[in-house]
Amino acid sequence: MRHAPSNEESESGEERTKIQGSQTLLRGLDMLDKVIDGPVKLADLSAAMGLTRSTTHRLANALADRGFLTFLPREGYQLGPKLLQLGFLAQSQADIVRIARPRLEALAARSEDTVHLGRLDTDLALYLDKIPGRRRVDISSRIGDRHPLSSTGLGKALLLDTPEAEWPALFEASRARGAPAVDYAAWAERMRGYVAAGHAYDLEENEDLIRCVAAPVRDASGRIIAAISLSSAAQYMDDARMAALSGEVRATADQIGTDLGWVPGARPNRRPRR
């Protein structure tokens, strides 16, 4: 007489099924990584995965059925439209203030200075977040403030990908918005240095006796979508300290970009702003 399986045997079978399911899921995710650089033929994909052709074919077809892969005749498998849809949804759901806040707080704690997050708002820099520093320094900025691009470190960081041909118009727009009167040629020369360095400075241009170091934040496309700045009184921000802080501010901005899906080193085509 056959006996019903014991609870122990049944649970063991369920556990094996779960493990097999997890392995299949991980293999599917690995396969997406293998085709990330373009179409891959079945034989090459099988070798890269370390699986038989039949297993690779079955898994690839399952992913293609759900839209995660697309098969191109004579070329092979590549990423499918479902990933594009999910990418746009993830980007639209990402709250940059929430995502950036832990990084900003850590930078403010390490430096003891005030840290800002902002984005471009037409021809102004809009301040989205502010983490006060521990020093007794009064910085007048507030969340929701809009400041001229040409005179703030944060604003200049937002312009680092903007073609130089557009600088004069933006410079004049900032003047109309209350930026201090400075020589355009001198300003443009500094901007060229900032573009080359990947960060920008505010040398008491926006607020008397306040200096800052700023760097851009990029999204998954490589486009600058925000910037961060670290600000303090000029007495705490001499040239040597600003130079020393530049790498840390850039690293923090890059970490926020990575959290948003940016791949370090990725840059978009430099096109005029619209």
Side-chain angles (χ1 to χ4, degrees):
M1 179 182 294
R2 297 182 62 185
H3 297 281
S6 68
N7 287 340
E8 183 177 350
E9 291 172 336
S10 176
E11 289 172 1
S12 177
E14 290 175 2
E15 188 63 28
R16 282 196 298 271
T17 300
K18 290 179 181 178
I19 292 173
Q20 290 170 352
S22 297
Q23 290 174 339
T24 301
L25 174 61
L26 292 174
R27 283 177 174 175
L29 295 174
D30 287 341
M31 184 170 287
L32 296 180
D33 280 334
K34 300 301 182 185
V35 302
I36 199 168
D37 291 325
V40 180
K41 296 182 182 298
L42 178 61
D44 295 331
L45 187 57
S46 174
M49 293 289 295
L51 301 173
T52 64
R53 286 174 64 100
S54 61
T55 300
T56 303
H57 186 258
R58 185 167 59 251
L59 183 56
N61 281 351
L63 290 171
D65 287 343
R66 300 298 297 270
F68 291 98
L69 290 181
T70 296
F71 179 73
L72 303 177
R74 296 182 298 279
E75 293 188 48
Y77 293 93
Q78 67 177 21
L79 297 178
K82 185 68 173 180
L83 292 173
L84 186 63
Q85 177 191 6
L86 292 175
F88 277 116
L89 287 173
Q91 185 174 351
S92 66
Q93 292 170 4
D95 181 345
I96 189 170
V97 175
R98 176 180 56 80
I99 291 171
R101 174 56 79 96
R103 305 287 191 187
L104 302 181
E105 289 177 339
L107 179 59
R110 290 193 304 271
S111 65
E112 300 187 343
D113 294 313
T114 299
V115 177
H116 298 96
L117 170 72
R119 65 170 175 81
L120 193 67
D121 183 15
T122 313
D123 56 1
L124 292 169
L126 171 63
Y127 284 66
L128 301 174
D129 204 0
K130 176 180 180 179
I131 313 297
R134 296 176 183 172
R135 305 183 197 275
R136 294 183 177 180
V137 177
D138 182 23
I139 297 178
S140 62
S141 59
R142 294 177 299 177
I143 295 173
D145 280 353
R146 290 169 171 82
H147 290 274
L149 295 172
S150 69
S151 60
T152 57
L154 195 145
K156 283 176 274 192
L158 290 168
L159 296 178
L160 292 187
D161 279 355
T162 301
E164 187 170 341
E166 296 187 19
W167 291 359
L170 291 166
F171 181 82
E172 290 304 320
S174 288
R175 286 282 299 274
R177 296 284 194 173
V182 297
D183 178 65
Y184 173 76
W187 180 88
E189 185 63 27
R190 279 183 177 170
M191 277 296 298
R192 294 184 193 104
Y194 297 152
V195 170
H199 60 257
Y201 292 159
D202 173 354
L203 301 172
E204 303 180 51
E205 298 155 79
N206 192 60
E207 189 173 350
D208 287 343
L209 302 179
I210 299 297
R211 287 181 153 201
C212 84
V213 179
V217 174
R218 300 177 183 275
D219 67 4
S221 72
R223 182 173 58 93
I224 294 175
I225 59 163
I228 67 170
S229 67
L230 187 151
S231 306
S232 192
Q235 68 187 85
Y236 302 117
M237 293 284 270
D238 59 18
D239 293 349
R241 185 164 188 256
M242 292 183 76
L245 286 169
S246 297
E248 188 170 4
V249 173
R250 283 199 313 273
T252 300
D254 287 351
Q255 288 166 351
I256 297 169
T258 301
D259 293 339
L260 294 168
W262 175 65
V263 177
R267 294 288 190 275
N269 293 328
R270 294 189 66 186
R271 298 175 179 173
R273 294 187 313 130
R274 299 185 184 275

